[in-house]
């Protein structure tokens, strides 16, 4: 599949109320790599197999949640092509100059119908994964793979209103596919929508909530379901609060465990799932199978999973 538009979720800024505990969680327990701490106290991390400088930003705050998220696009021409389309959709666009965000080129910023702040950028300094680009081998330097053995930031789930408008924006303007959808079995309204710009089941998803601009989770990719179980062992060792798991989703077919950082923000480790192509039909679930759609191994919906967001 030749991707030459919006590539992937490349960055999320997570608000944290206790930076010391947060650094221990994301670095020592999860195994992300700290690459920068700026003058404002924001701390930047990358996952081991990401080439770009960082994908996670911890932002000191008095409340948990998400500040913004950003998708990387193929090139500057893509930014130029998308800007008038976003404006034609009825959304104002703000220009952010290169260098305002560390190691990053210029950005476009705008607010989604769900109330979330989204950015697009084409360039970020690449620092590699220690394996090089010529005869790279298959194993990085010693000590690079640690913690949960996280490969990369995989996807986001966000909560808010107007999620069908978000589907329209992402499919018509950003050329995502609607890979899956959960609807109420009687009212037929959309309760959750899953969107892909790649070969993964979803790169971003939205769940219907009474309040705008809510954060459900950031998900981190592992290589296998076995690695999810091993991550769960480490979660238990360090007494990390668990929401759900290990289990498997019906939606996306991904192996999963959900847990919370010290500030109450939900994280996920995720593996497997199916391969999505542009001609893959949209899969639709309804609430008669809510348990199987959310957690297929015990077909039991969790109130916390459905209603706890930051």
């Amino acid at each position: 599949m030749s991707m030459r538009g919006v590539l992937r979720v490349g960055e999320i800024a997570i608000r944290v109320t206790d930076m010391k505990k947060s650094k221990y969680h994301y670095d020592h327990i999860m195994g992300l790599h700290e690459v920068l701490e700026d003058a404002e106290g924001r701390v930047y991390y990358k996952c081991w197999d990401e080439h770009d400088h960082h994908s996670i930003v911890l932002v000191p705050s008095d409340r948990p949640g998400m500040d913004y998220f950003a998708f990387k696009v193929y090139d500057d021409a893509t930014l130029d092509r998308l800007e008038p389309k976003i404006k034609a959709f009825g959304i104002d666009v703000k220009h952010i100059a290169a260098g305002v965000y560390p190691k990053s080129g210029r950005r476009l910023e705008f607010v989604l119908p769900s109330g979330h702040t989204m950015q697009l950028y084409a360039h970020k300094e690449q620092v590699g994964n220690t394996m090089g680009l010529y005869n790279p081998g298959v194993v990085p330097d010693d000590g690079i793979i640690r913690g949960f053995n996280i490969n990369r930031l995989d996807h986001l789930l966000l909560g808010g209103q107007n999620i069908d408008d978000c589907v329209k924006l992402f499919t018509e303007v950003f050329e995502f596919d609607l890979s899956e959808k959960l609807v109420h079995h009687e009212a037929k309204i959309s309760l959750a929508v899953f969107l892909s710009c790649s070969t993964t089941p979803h790169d971003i998803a939205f769940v219907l909530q009474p309040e705008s601009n809510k954060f459900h989770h950031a998900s981190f990719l592992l290589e296998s379901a076995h690695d999810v179980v091993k991550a769960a062992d480490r979660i238990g060792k360090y007494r990390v609060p668990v929401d759900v798991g290990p289990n498997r989703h019906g939606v996306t077919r991904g192996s999963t465990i959900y847990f919370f950082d010290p500030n109450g923000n939900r994280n996920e480790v995720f593996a497997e799932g199916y391969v999505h192509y542009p001609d893959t039909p949209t899969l639709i679930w309804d609430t008669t199978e809510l348990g199987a759609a959310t957690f297929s191994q015990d077909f039991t919906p969790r109130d916390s999973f459905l209603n706890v967001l930051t």
Side-chain angles (χ1 to χ4, degrees), residues 179-207:
S179 57
E180 300 203 42
K181 183 177 182 179
L182 172 68
V183 300
H184 190 278
H185 69 283
E186 294 177 336
K188 304 303 180 184
I189 62 171
S190 301
L191 299 178
V193 293
F194 302 82
L195 295 139
S196 175
C197 63
S198 63
T199 59
T200 68
H202 59 330
D203 293 281
I204 191 167
F206 295 89
V207 60

Side-chain angles (χ1 to χ4, degrees), residues 68 79 93-101 104-110 117-120:
Y68 68 86
L79 292 180
V93 176
K94 174 184 175 182
H95 287 253
I96 301 173
V100 171
Y101 286 84
S104 181
R106 67 184 178 99
R107 299 188 178 200
L108 305 180
E109 181 178 273
F110 44 92
T117 298
M118 178 175 174
Q119 298 175 353
L120 297 172

